[in-house]
Amino acid sequence: MSHGHDDGTGSGTGLRPATKVVHSGRDPKRFDGFVNTPVVRGSTVLSATYDDLIHHRGRYSYGRRGNPTTEGFETALRALEGGDGIALTPSGLSACSISLLSVLDAGDHLLMVDTAYRPTRTFCDQVLKRLGVETTYYDPLVGSGIAELIRDNTRAIFLESPGSQSFEMQDVPAITAVARARGITTLIDNTWATPLFFKPHAFGVDISIQAGTKYIGGHADLNLGTISAVGPAWKRVIATHGTLGITISPDDAALGARGLRTLAVRLAHHQRAGLEVAQWLQDRPEVSRVLHPALPTDPGHAIWKRDFTGATGLFSLILKEVPERAVAAFFDALALFGMGYSWGGYESLAIPFDCRDYRTATVWDVEGPGVRLHIGLEDVADLKADLDQAFARMRAAA
């Protein structure tokens, strides 16, 4: 876990993000010229002398507390996030849960955005509730009106922008300004944008969370969570992370670092391809509307354009009303789009969704079935053709 160590290999603030992801956290001179940090597998770390042992003078103390592989990856992530330190976890959900446990105690009150990743809601409704923390869900569009929901015991506000599946954009600086004035910790799930396209700490967020499983990994072969934090929040995060004994394997850290090196070029393709498919879908007779904040017609476009520097390949669409058998025919006809509950990898994915079962502060009232798409690295013309033939099967089954 990174304690703010800077190895001097390109994490300087003068470098642009695409350069940082290539050069930060690498130190070939330290490893006999090897470009990539070696995968170090080990638990025990020996001290040279008794004095070194009892005063913890070594760079590393125990495998769970970090090694050269995890440290290099953390340093690169910290250069991208701009926080005081990075903690690595085994999944995006564990990054969310550890972050919340870090800043909440029994008797505290949490404000959680109603459009959060559903497993994060489950953690709040089950584990936090059992621990004596009360959660209130709020409308993602509340902005500075969040002040009216704050109680004397409100200790944290959790954001996710854009919202999971439904892609509402939050006014992050308006919410963090209210929170900072009240001494309330803010957290955000920034998996969709990554720090390449949105930098939470620059907008006043204390804890920035990513499911590194998605775009950082980029190859559908890794489960990973990352936590970046600043100030007092970082001290609480790293203390909780260490006390809980959270660690990831050096192999997973190496996969995360490898994915990070190509993040900028992959996101550039995801952005271009995603927008092209989204614009094409807007004109389809089967589609009622497309939920993508980078589209000028999207309700959240103004906030996206103000705060974000790019968009990624994940978005949703609302179909015109059709029977479920037609929706099933659409999905079963897809050849290039896989059906799977993830995204961020090189492959395109599609799932149906319906937010009515679990939203509580907002009403999910839409005109037809919801479909979430992740646009991967395939040729866009082939993806359009696949969607086109699936729409034909849907029409035939309607």
Side-chain angles (χ1 to χ4, degrees):
M1 60 215 77
S2 171
H3 293 268
H5 171 71
D6 187 343
D7 64 3
T9 56
S11 59
T13 56
L15 298 178
R16 292 173 174 81
T19 306
K20 287 183 180 181
V21 298
V22 172
H23 288 277
S24 299
R26 294 193 296 112
D27 190 0
K29 292 180 180 178
R30 183 181 169 197
F31 300 106
D32 299 309
F34 282 100
V35 169
N36 292 310
T37 304
V39 177
V40 176
R41 299 183 183 92
S43 56
T44 303
V45 179
L46 301 179
S47 297
T49 68
Y50 171 84
D51 189 65
D52 289 342
L53 178 70
I54 63 172
H55 290 102
H56 307 289
R57 299 192 194 282
R59 183 165 182 162
Y60 309 104
S61 60
Y62 184 60
R64 175 167 47 78
R65 293 286 187 171
N67 63 37
T69 311
T70 57
E71 183 185 36
F73 183 33
E74 290 162 354
T75 300
L77 285 169
R78 190 172 62 84
L80 201 58
E81 293 269 15
D84 290 336
I86 297 288
L88 302 175
T89 75
S91 67
L93 178 58
S94 64
C96 291
S97 59
I98 291 164
S99 297
L100 288 166
L101 288 172
S102 298
V103 299
L104 293 166
D105 297 313
D108 286 348
H109 174 240
L110 165 69
L111 285 170
M112 170 64 65
V113 65
D114 201 36
T115 51
Y117 177 51
R118 190 172 184 179
T120 304
R121 295 180 67 108
T122 302
F123 175 78
C124 294
D125 296 341
Q126 295 183 8
V127 178
L128 288 185
K129 182 179 180 180
R130 181 164 52 83
L131 296 178
V133 175
E134 183 180 358
T135 300
T136 298
Y137 293 96
Y138 68 90
D139 188 327
L141 306 182
V142 70
S144 59
I146 195 82
E148 299 176 11
L149 303 177
I150 292 174
R151 305 176 187 173
D152 290 342
N153 64 333
T154 302
R155 296 291 176 264
I157 301 173
F158 195 105
L159 306 90
E160 183 169 343
S161 187
S164 181
Q165 298 184 327
S166 47
F167 291 88
E168 296 90 344
M169 294 298 300
Q170 292 194 257
D171 191 337
V172 175
I175 293 173
T176 59
V178 171
R180 186 149 295 184
R182 307 284 186 94
I184 296 170
T185 302
T186 50
L187 312 87
I188 192 169
D189 185 332
N190 192 41
T191 304
W192 182 83
T194 83
L196 274 181
F197 289 158
F198 181 71
K199 293 190 177 296
H201 297 316
F203 288 84
V205 179
D206 298 300
I207 300 175
S208 172
I209 300 161
Q210 294 182 80
T213 306
K214 309 300 195 283
Y215 284 122
I216 291 177
H219 293 77
D221 58 1
L222 173 67
N223 285 322
L224 173 71
T226 73
I227 307 169
S228 174
V230 294
W234 166 242
K235 294 179 181 179
R236 296 195 67 169
V237 164
I238 200 59
T240 303
H241 181 273
T243 301
L244 290 174
I246 304 301
T247 187
I248 71 168
S249 77
D251 299 274
D252 286 346
L255 285 175
R258 186 185 68 175
L260 195 67
R261 303 308 176 194
T262 62
L263 180 63
V265 292
R266 286 186 288 106
L267 286 190
H269 181 94
H270 287 303
Q271 175 171 227
R272 288 194 302 269
L275 273 171
E276 184 175 340
V277 174
Q279 290 163 347
W280 177 78
L281 286 166
Q282 282 187 304
D283 298 327
R284 293 288 312 194
E286 304 88 353
V287 175
S288 175
R289 54 195 167 106
V290 178
L291 311 178
H292 191 315
L295 292 175
T297 53
D298 190 89
H301 180 71
I303 289 178
W304 173 83
K305 190 173 182 179
R306 182 193 71 187
D307 297 345
F308 287 60
T309 59
T312 54
L314 189 76
F315 64 92
S316 292
L317 58 126
I318 306 299
L319 297 171
K320 292 178 181 176
E321 187 60 48
V322 289
E324 187 175 5
R325 66 177 181 275
V327 176
F330 169 82
F331 278 97
D332 288 340
L334 291 170
L336 297 179
F337 285 84
M339 287 182 281
Y341 291 100
S342 191
W343 46 275
Y346 57 84
E347 78 286 13
S348 291
L349 296 170
I351 59 166
F353 74 94
D354 186 345
C355 303
R356 287 177 296 181
D357 291 345
Y358 57 94
R359 298 280 168 90
T360 55
T362 56
V363 177
W364 181 247
D365 184 15
V366 294
E367 56 275 22
V371 177
R372 191 187 73 181
L373 297 178
H374 175 253
I375 306 304
L377 303 181
E378 303 94 338
D379 190 288
V380 172
D382 291 331
L383 295 178
K384 289 179 182 177
D386 192 30
L387 290 167
D388 184 61
Q389 62 87 23
F391 280 130
R393 297 282 286 274
M394 184 178 79
R395 292 194 304 271

